[in-house]
Amino acid sequence: MPNNPYTWLEQSLATIHRADWYRSVQTMQSRPGAVVQLEGCQVINFASNDYLGLAGDERLIQAAVAATQEFGAGSTGSRLLSGHRELHKELEKAIASLKQTEEALVFSSGYLANLGTIAALVGKRDLILSDQYNHSSLKNGAILSGAGVVEYAHSDIEDLKRQLAKHRTQYRRCLIITDTVFSMDGDICQLPEILAIAQDFNCMVLVDEAHATGVLGATGAGGVEHFGCTGQPLIQVGTLSKALGSLGGYVAGSATLIDFLRNRAPSWIYTTALSPADTAAALAAVGIIQQEPERRTKLSWNVETLQQLIQEKLPLLKVLPSESPILCFQLATATDALMAGKQLKAAGIFAPAIRPPTVPTSRIRISVMATHELAHLQKLVNVLEGMNSPQ
Ligand SMILES: *Cc1c(COP(=O)(O)O)cnc(C)c1O
């Protein structure tokens, strides 16, 4: 038999199956919302990042349709060549206004925003300090940049200080990178402390506001606003695809930073501009976030109510500490998590099992939305009560 250089793929998949780490897709057959049709079953949706229920909002849909009618389906090129439209500029202005920064720049996804920004800001002679639980896009951005990367223990300010004291002087520039809301745990970074240390050690700070934008802060600006750090010298990255209900990413910061990124961020320069539909939908979403604070009020009410119900009815459930709409129930093994996910689905609840290597420990991850009704939260708690495995 001739050599087959691809046989290892099947062996590798078999290993993934044996560990119960195998992943596959599930088809959603309806518009996004609190209740959706999933593989032929109606389920209450606790798996969505659409925190404010905007992805299915008629105003976003109409904005996308109108932009498509006027400007076409695709943007036809990169922003620096044929891809730039007035809509992109309007969206960037709107994001800068929400974030209270001088300027903003939109990317084709949050993932690309992190890759391009980190790679533009630091290189071989520089150092990155990265929280151990950071999102994949921050970690891969750090690798892509070629900088020296040191991970500090999750949200451990003392460890961050220790690592800086040990390594900082051997490098030129230094960048601290962290999620504000940690995507797979739901807790928040200690931003004021991180900013103070950054000043002591002359470091730049990049925060990933993917799960915080539209959710945290009095005006929905995110974790930076939540901590009263608006206007401080930092780099904010985020996504248009979570609370903003569309697709794309952004960076917000000083005019100089944005000007620099337009010239140096490879994942902005060498990729096609956001489509008219995505851009217009995101623009409509920023407006709604600013004009309808009641959506955020309802979201926090839902989160508090669910937490109270859990405390009352499920005192033994291992809930990870959270200060966001992301709530995780820890389980002993990947197999237990998969089984719990299946049981929930059979009972009409869509809440995915999150397993290694995405996270160090297996869990069921719940995202609360503003559009959940009390009955949805009660049903979740009742179903969990009836299950024995997560306790
Ligand atoms: C979802 C997410 C991203 C990626 O954003 P996309 O727009 O989906 O590519 C980046 N960082 C964090 C923390 C996220 O949760």
Side-chain angles (χ1 to χ4, degrees), residues 109-111 114 135 137 179 183 208 210-211 239-242 248:
S109 76
Y111 208 110
N114 273 328
H135 188 260
S137 54
D179 288 13
S183 57
D208 183 338
H211 292 274
T239 178
L240 308 175
S241 63
K242 288 175 177 142

Side-chain angles (χ1 to χ4, degrees), residues 24 42 44 53 116 118 157 164 171 196 224 241 268 298 332 366 372:
S24 59
Q42 182 170 298
I44 306 172
I118 297 170
I157 295 299
L164 278 168
Y171 293 88
V224 176
S241 63
W268 186 82
K298 179 72 196 310
I366 300 282
H372 281 134

Side-chain angles (χ1 to χ4, degrees), residues 164-229:
L164 278 168
K166 191 165 158 199
H167 300 287
R168 175 70 184 95
T169 55
Q170 297 144 46
Y171 293 88
R172 181 183 57 173
R173 294 194 280 270
C174 179
L175 176 67
I176 302 173
I177 58 179
T178 181
D179 288 13
T180 46
V181 171
F182 286 90
S183 57
M184 291 298 141
D185 294 72
D187 56 337
I188 316 188
C189 77
Q190 298 178 56
L191 188 58
E193 288 79 1
I194 291 172
L195 286 170
I197 292 175
Q199 191 143 49
D200 290 346
F201 286 90
N202 189 27
C203 306
M204 303 178 282
V205 177
L206 181 151
V207 292
D208 183 338
E209 293 264 67
H211 292 274
T213 305
V215 172
L216 294 183
T219 71
V224 176
E225 182 183 40
H226 167 84
F227 281 114
C229 296

Side-chain angles (χ1 to χ4, degrees), residues 265-282:
S267 65
W268 186 82
I269 299 170
Y270 301 106
T271 198
T272 303
L274 271 188
S275 75
D278 293 325
T279 313

